[in-house]
Amino acid sequence: MTTVVLGSKTGIFRLNKTTWRCMTELESDVLIEVEDFSFFLHKFPLINASPVLQKIISKFSSDEDRDCAFALDDIPGGVHSFELIAKFCYGEKIELTTSNVVPLICAANYFDMNEDYLKGNLIFQTETFFSNEVLSNWKECIVALLSCEHVLHYAEELDIASSCLNSLSSKVADGKASYLRNEISWNGIACMKETKNLSGSGLDWWHDDICSLNLYFFKRFIEVLNAKGHDPADISNAVIYYARNHRSKENPNSTGNWSVDERILLEEIVELLPVQKGATSIKVLLSMLSASIMLNTNETCIETLEKRVGSQLHEATVEDLLVLNSRDADKAVRNVDCVERLIKQFMEQNLHINEITCNSPNEERLMEADSLQRGRIGAVAKLVDKYLAKVAQDENLMLQQFLALGSAIPTSARPSNDDLYHAISTYLEYHPKLSDEQKEKLCQLIDVQKLSRDLCRDVAQNENLPIRVIVKALFCEMLDLKRTLASSGDENNTGTEVGNATENSDNLADEKDVVVAPSSGLQKEHKNSEAKKTKTSLGEKVMCRFLMTRNIWSVRKVKALLAQTRH
């Protein structure tokens, strides 16, 4: 730590418990009480250096009594600062250090010890040391800023704190410090499972020292960095690092409530995060959102995080979303209501972007923006479907919540419905008590035409699905088969193949080791229906026979459903 010695005399002052005495030939003629300490001094040295002390001494002196006594209660830096000032007035050696210079500057200004009153006075000496030795060095500047906490009012009034913050921010912006440091390691904030290790990048050399600041000065520092146009991603990493170092290590109290300080810290940290999209990773934002929900922070904090997450939702993974837990024990473990709000935020922001780009005269830019937007929406659609498949296993997840999540993404945004089908199938498996009406409502989310051919076959054999969905899947499969055969350009061959499919479905009913044969009642009904020679397409015949081989519905009922499907 840098030091400078002022004065040349020694042995003038002596301390006895709480009493300071000036050991000269002349008896003391002034007693000054500072806090619990008494200073027996002489008027002349004090009056010679400070016009303020001159006025006070004159006020408490009288013609009858040459001695005077008074108390000083509001000295910046307290008794320690006044001790140094008293020694300076007598020419006693004092040591200026990084830790005492700020309180001493404030005290010197408090007593107005300026150059006009005395050449080489204390204000000049301390400010010179501060400017030349402290502000030029990163480490010294940090220590000086920390000492401002004890004399905050005076340090702000004299712009000492601002000078420290500007000096520190300039050094960060330049990308270097004036001293060597060891690398630091970072494990991330408490609720994060994965974070980026910054220590190898060389850009984080300042994070550790800045964490020593209190929240007030840290906020001021980040504001100055932002004003200087520093890299938002670096600022974001510093804010997260600060949060990690200042978070409470304790669990909630016996009532399940977190401390007020913990909530306030998180609310302040969220406000400090750079607003630029992408500056803070989606993992960090979701982790903070999860913590905000658990800590029951104010609505502004949660809404801010939800907007930020919504703007970057396309970067998230299912595991990221699963960190969102509900603070309400009566709700599903996973906070699907919050996820629904995130999806709505994402859709609103992307629709807003679309409106802006549509008004752009640049056609190339419009196409590029449209392609980017489609890619993001498609990624979120896939994310939501995979998330639904995970939470569908939760028995507490209500049907209305599932429907709200599934319908939050427009049907047109899903190029494929395979993942959505898996989610619905899982929900039906884990919620067997759903009524037929509820199953129908759930399956309205599926666009059967967007299912892959393999899944269409799976749908046809899924006994949990409503028969309407099964019929639609079979119908789509038949159409797909017809299109495939038609692409060869042989219409006759198409008819032959479909006829063979029908013939194969007849044979399928006889293979008892492969499928369950239809009941006798169904066989009779089947014979009666064929006797009536109802006009039915080849595709519908195949579907009827296919359903019969699985002992699902009667032909009459299947045809009724097919008729509804055609309408």
Side-chain angles (χ1 to χ4, degrees), residues 87 129 139 168 323 478 517:
K87 289 180 177 180
F129 175 78
K139 189 70 173 179
L168 292 172
V323 305
M478 291 299 103

Side-chain angles (χ1 to χ4, degrees), residues 464-527:
N464 290 327
L465 295 174
I467 189 63
R468 183 189 300 277
V469 179
I470 295 175
V471 170
K472 284 184 178 180
L474 286 168
F475 192 71
C476 289
E477 192 176 356
M478 291 299 103
L479 289 177
D480 185 55
L481 176 62
K482 186 175 181 180
R483 282 193 295 268
T484 301
L485 295 173
S487 64
S488 65
D490 188 352
E491 292 293 337
N492 292 329
N493 187 51
T494 301
T496 303
E497 293 292 343
V498 175
N500 289 338
T502 308
E503 192 173 39
N504 290 336
S505 67
D506 288 332
N507 296 332
L508 200 60
D510 297 328
E511 297 176 15
K512 296 181 180 179
D513 58 328
V514 179
V515 295
V516 179
S519 63
S520 57
L522 290 178
Q523 288 178 352
K524 184 177 180 181
E525 188 174 359
H526 176 52
K527 290 178 181 179

Side-chain angles (χ1 to χ4, degrees), residues 42-68:
H42 301 85
K43 294 178 181 179
F44 178 74
L46 301 178
I47 292 172
N48 188 52
S50 168
V52 173
L53 284 173
Q54 181 189 29
K55 291 178 181 179
I56 296 173
I57 290 172
S58 299
K59 178 181 177 182
F60 287 94
S61 297
S62 63
D63 296 335
E64 294 81 12
D65 188 1
R66 65 182 289 270
D67 294 338
C68 72

Side-chain angles (χ1 to χ4, degrees), residues 2 6 77 82 142 147 152 176 249 317 424 451 499 546:
T2 306
L6 301 180
F82 187 74
I142 288 285
S147 68
L152 185 58
K176 57 183 179 181
K249 306 297 189 297
T317 64
I424 290 175
L451 293 175
F546 185 81

